[in-house]
Structures are given as C-alpha cells and as structure tokens.
Amino acid sequence: MGKRYETVIGLEVHVELSTRTKIFCGCPAAFGGAPNSHTCPVCMGMPGALPVLNRQVVEYAIAVGLATDCAITECCQFDRKNYFYPDNPKAYQISQLYLPICQNGGIEIETAEGKKRIGIHEIHMEEDAGKLVHDEEENVSAVDYNRAGVPLLEIVSEQDLRSAEETVAYLEKLRLIIQYLGASDCKMNEGSMRADVNLSVREAGTEELGTRTEMKNLNSFRAVSRAIAAERDRQIGLLEAGKKVVQETRRWDDRKECSFSMRSKEDAKDYRYFPEPDLPPVIISERWIADVRRRQPELRGEKMARYQKEFGLPAYDAQLLTGDKAFADLFEATVEICGRPKRVSNWIMVEVSRLLKEHGMAPDEIRFSPENFAKLIVLADTGSITNTVAKEAFELVFLEDADPERYVKERGLATVNDEGALRAAADTVLAENPQSVKDYLGGKERALGFLVGQTMKAMRGKANPALVKAILLELLHEETE
Ligand SMILES: [Zn+2]
C-alpha cells in the first residue's frame, strides 16, 4: 500500500429508555414477557387507534440532551417514516426528521493524543419495532410485538471519529452518561443499546469524504471494533484495486468476522417522511428545561470530585469506582452501612473485580447485597477473621449473597485470639521443628516465616498471624536465655 488513508466514522446509537410504559400507549415497556402479551390496538397499529405521547420520554430526551451539551428544540415534532416490514405493524414508524428534540451537542473523550470533542448532530425520539423470530426447523417466521412502541432515543454523532479506539471511547462515555441519568440500562447484550457504524476512508490530507457504508445493530464493543477494522481494510482494498466503494448497508457477522451487503442505502426520500398528523408538536418551555436540569442526578465528574473530598479517596480510586455505575452504587450503599470508605474501595477494586473477571461477568451483573458485603468488610477489618478466611467467605457472598457472619460462625472460622491455645500450638511446632529453631537462632530470619506458617496450619488458618508471630518470638527468645 503506497498511500496513507484516514478512516472517517460516524455513529447512530439507539438506546431503549427505562420508562414504565411504551412511548405512545400504556403497555408495559419491560423486556421479555410472553410473546404479544404487552400489546394493545395502538402499538399493534389498528386502524383508528391514536397515539398519546409519554411525558417521561420527553424528559429523558431533555436530560440526555443537557448532559451532552445539546440545544433543546423549543418546538419539536414527530414525523412518519413509511416502510413495510413485518415487524412494523403500522407500516410506518413514528420518528423525528425535521425538528428533532436535541441538536448541536458533543461530548469529550480521552484519546492517546489528549482530549477530543465528538460532535452530536442530533438526538431524536422514536418507537422501536417488534421482533421477528425465525424457526428454521418449521421453516416459519413468527412475530412478537412486545417491543413495538418501546421508546428509543437515537443519538447521531458527527463524522468526528477516526479509529475503533475513539469509537469505543465515545460509546463508553455515552453509555455512562445515560446510565448515570437513569434513562436506560444500556445493556448492549440485551439490545437496550445498539450502534450503527457508518464509515468511509479517504487519502490522508484530503478534505473530501469518501463513499460511506453503514453497518447495522452492532451489539458489543468488541463487535464495533472488529467491524470497523474489517470494513476499513475492505474499503482500502477496493480503492487500491482501482474499484469503487458502493454506498450500502452491510450486515456484520461477528462469528465469521466479515460483513455482507444487505441492501443499497436508502435516503430520507425513500421513506416518504411527513409530519405525524396524529400528534401535535411538543412545546418545551424554558421552565420545563430548567426543571429537568434541577432534577439532574450527580454525573460522573461531580461524583469523582465528591469521592475525593467527602471520603478522602485517592483520585485513582474515585476514577475507577465511578467508571461503572454499578461500582459507584455498590460503593455508596456499602459505605452508608459500614463506613470505612477506603476499605470498601479496596475490596471493590481487588476482590470484586477479580471475581467478576474470573466469572466473565460485567459489574451490572453483581447480585450480592451491600448488607452482606459490609458485614464481610467489618469482619475482615476488625481482625475477627483472617484475610484467607475473608477471601473464602467473600466467594460465597459473591456467588450466593451468603451472610458472612453466619458462614464464619457455622464453620467456626473466627480468628483465635486465645493466647493459651496459640501458645500450646506454637510450643508443639517448635518441638517438632528443632532444625528451624536452630536456623533462626543462627541468624536465618526466613526460618521464622516457616514456623509462623506451621503454627497457622496447626490452627487451621484461623489464628491471628500477628499474634502467632509475637508468641513465637517470645518462645524463641526464651530458648536463648
Ligand atoms: Zn400498546
């Protein structure tokens, strides 16, 4: 390859909002449920049924818009996007084309070259479609309309991204903002956050954009990264061979690690958009915006500063804990119960992170309660159990939300601080290991470690190691006298 190329990427991110009901009817918006059990004439698109806008959807859109530095459109409206597909019972989707609710925003991401602002062109509200279920054995397709009418925000970035790393950083930042706002749980594996990537390449140093393709519904950060790398290489390959990139929509197959052409890219005109006649424009007053702004929860930056100020945590801890809302929630709930913020932070950063990794789980899959977590930290921190026992007990807290106090009691794992018992064990160990005693007295410090280990073993790990060491030293010095 002689020429150098630059990759130009834009993202359309769909986020399912955490409202109780759907966007235009009173059906539950919850994930799951028996097929077609969350439906009514409105979301089934029956003739004559009329939509009523869910106020909470507008408030979430305003909240996300404010947190991403967007201007809120004073008078926004819905438009009809017409297309036929079996998962869409009305044969049109209610969306926003001409006057989206939020415009001209942006968020800052960290890149290898420092901070970079990624522009947000617009955010609009729309309804989700149903879901087709293909049964290959019976050779039929069934349709489930539970998801039809679930509220979505579509967040459209500017073409400001230049690499897979930047794209993932942008997605992570966006997800964190929306999770902190409580507007969506943003679970990519459950489809509550999905990304469409559009990408083109151009010769480095040129201004004109190349022809772009779009890859739909990528459902993990890994898929986004891999799809970008593969599509970039495919387009450069075409250009190097003197061929043209065709503007089209492609489907990424993460298993095969390549994309396939789905259809040529449609333009807005193909959808025959027109203003939705069944819904009046939405007027958003200054007062309403101020109201949403006032109720805005604490976002990551503010939380990070507060953790350092209020709890005296190092910047590193504050950054790590606020990097995932599940960690921040666990931290705050636990400290509320048992105090000891630095201990709690250490437990989350070390043991919780280790077990999550070991079980291939994400932080939002944590199932144990802050109550049992706090009990465990107190047991370990007051020396009531040894570190070994604490780690062992935590595995059960982590997996089954076990009560660590009961666990320690039932198994008799509380640390033995009874000097008489420890002295007896230490005496036996010294008598059984004359060579080590001799080594220690001859100046080999390491022999003491061995003797401590043997005594701990004799106490089945339940002894307080500092006390064991002190008793051994005392006994050894008696020997020299
Ligand atoms: Zn409905």
Side-chain angles (χ1 to χ4, degrees):
M1 264 182 231
K3 296 172 189 158
R4 286 183 55 245
Y5 291 91
E6 180 180 51
T7 316
V8 178
I9 302 164
L11 281 190
E12 288 168 18
V13 176
H14 286 91
V15 171
E16 268 179 16
L17 295 176
S18 306
T19 53
R20 200 173 50 78
T21 55
K22 292 185 178 180
I23 183 169
F24 300 123
C25 62
C27 293
F31 182 74
N36 299 306
S37 60
H38 300 171
T39 54
C40 74
V42 175
C43 55
M44 292 290 283
M46 297 296 171
L50 290 173
V52 177
L53 177 60
N54 182 338
R55 183 185 172 93
Q56 184 64 50
V57 174
V58 182
E59 300 217 337
Y60 278 148
I62 297 172
V64 174
L66 291 176
T68 53
D69 203 20
C70 286
I72 311 297
T73 310
E74 196 187 324
C75 174
C76 71
Q77 70 175 27
F78 286 94
D79 301 293
R80 254 183 212 191
K81 180 179 182 179
N82 297 281
Y83 69 94
F84 173 74
Y85 200 68
D87 66 3
N88 170 17
K90 297 200 292 280
Y92 61 84
Q93 178 194 31
I94 302 180
S95 180
Q96 297 193 293
L97 178 72
Y98 301 109
L99 290 167
I101 184 161
C102 311
Q103 298 176 72
N104 297 324
I107 56 179
E108 242 177 28
I109 59 165
E110 302 286 342
T111 72
E113 292 84 38
K115 284 190 195 310
K116 178 175 175 183
R117 183 182 160 94
I118 306 302
I120 289 179
H121 182 74
E122 65 171 72
I123 300 176
H124 61 253
M125 303 176 280
E126 61 184 30
E127 57 182 336
D128 209 345
K131 211 178 211 164
L132 287 177
V133 184
H134 304 288
D135 184 334
E136 277 172 33
E137 241 166 65
E138 299 279 324
N139 202 24
V140 293
S141 291
V143 63
D144 177 5
Y145 289 121
N146 282 353
R147 206 179 61 183
V150 166
L152 294 177
L153 286 188
E154 181 173 334
I155 301 149
V156 183
S157 84
E158 301 288 359
Q159 310 276 311
D160 288 342
L161 298 156
R162 292 291 175 271
S163 67
E165 293 75 37
E166 285 186 11
T167 306
V168 169
Y170 167 81
L171 276 170
E172 281 176 342
K173 182 82 182 265
L174 193 62
R175 180 173 70 167
L176 209 53
I177 290 171
I178 296 169
Q179 284 178 337
Y180 268 111
L181 292 170
S184 170
D185 55 15
C186 293
K187 287 188 175 166
M188 288 192 89
N189 57 349
E190 282 182 14
S192 59
M193 183 178 193
R194 326 191 270 267
D196 300 345
V197 172
N198 62 64
L199 183 152
S200 61
V201 295
R202 64 181 171 198
E203 247 181 85
T206 57
E207 279 297 313
E208 201 185 334
L209 289 169
T211 306
R212 71 187 203 190
T213 60
E214 185 174 36
M215 287 176 290
K216 284 251 181 231
N217 284 338
L218 298 163
N219 61 4
S220 71
F221 290 156
R222 188 165 152 267
V224 168
S225 278
R226 284 154 55 119
I228 287 173
E231 182 58 13
R232 177 196 142 88
D233 290 349
R234 191 188 70 88
Q235 291 190 13
I236 292 175
L238 286 172
L239 297 179
E240 290 283 305
K243 293 179 185 160
K244 272 194 175 142
V245 175
V246 180
Q247 185 173 340
E248 62 186 353
T249 301
R250 299 180 68 85
R251 183 172 60 83
W252 171 253
D253 187 325
D254 204 42
R255 222 164 23 88
K256 294 186 180 134
E257 274 186 71
C258 59
S259 63
F260 302 92
S261 177
M262 267 168 77
R263 54 175 187 256
S264 63
K265 172 75 184 163
E266 317 81 350
D267 280 323
K269 65 178 189 302
D270 297 321
Y271 291 113
R272 296 155 8 259
Y273 277 97
F274 59 86
E276 169 59 50
D278 289 340
L279 286 164
V282 184
I283 310 296
I284 302 171
S285 65
E286 284 294 326
R287 213 174 115 198
W288 194 5
I289 296 172
D291 208 40
V292 174
R293 196 192 294 277
R294 208 181 50 247
R295 283 184 279 127
Q296 203 90 312
E298 185 182 44
L299 293 177
R300 188 187 182 192
E302 298 159 317
K303 227 184 234 311
M304 237 154 61
R306 181 166 68 86
Y307 282 11
Q308 293 175 66
K309 196 158 166 264
E310 192 179 324
F311 300 121
L313 291 185
Y316 176 80
D317 293 46
Q319 190 167 3
L320 206 136
L321 293 174
T322 56
D324 202 293
K325 183 156 185 298
F327 279 164
D329 289 347
L330 176 64
F331 172 76
E332 288 180 28
T334 311
V335 169
E336 177 91 29
I337 300 168
C338 71
R340 304 167 203 263
K342 182 57 184 153
R343 305 297 300 164
V344 176
S345 167
N346 286 354
W347 269 90
I348 293 175
M349 294 193 302
V350 181
E351 286 306 309
V352 175
S353 301
R354 183 179 67 82
L355 287 180
L356 284 172
K357 201 169 166 197
E358 208 176 290
H359 294 277
M361 287 162 64
D364 61 7
E365 291 172 277
I366 288 174
R367 289 291 164 264
F368 60 84
S369 63
E371 286 75 19
N372 284 331
F373 189 44
K375 278 184 190 173
L376 180 87
I377 290 169
V378 172
L379 284 172
D381 204 29
T382 52
S384 306
I385 53 176
T386 61
N387 278 336
T388 321
V389 172
K391 281 183 192 170
E392 217 178 275
F394 180 60
E395 298 235 353
L396 264 106
V397 173
F398 183 89
L399 293 172
E400 301 163 13
D401 195 23
D403 178 342
E405 283 172 0
R406 191 192 302 162
Y407 173 82
V408 166
K409 204 167 156 197
E410 278 175 3
R411 287 163 205 239
L413 293 171
T415 306
V416 177
N417 282 311
D418 172 1
E419 272 202 48
L422 293 182
R423 201 173 283 271
D427 260 331
T428 314
V429 168
L430 291 181
E432 282 172 358
N433 296 282
Q435 186 58 45
S436 300
V437 174
K438 215 167 147 195
D439 288 348
Y440 175 75
L441 295 176
K444 286 191 184 159
E445 283 284 331
R446 263 179 37 204
L448 179 63
F450 174 75
L451 293 166
V452 171
Q454 288 301 303
T455 314
M456 289 297 289
K457 203 167 150 192
M459 296 301 299
R460 294 170 52 225
K462 293 182 302 185
N464 176 343
L467 194 56
V468 167
K469 193 173 168 191
I471 289 172
L472 278 167
L473 279 171
E474 198 184 309
L475 293 173
L476 284 163
H477 288 124
E478 277 172 16
E479 303 233 349
T480 55
E481 280 161 11

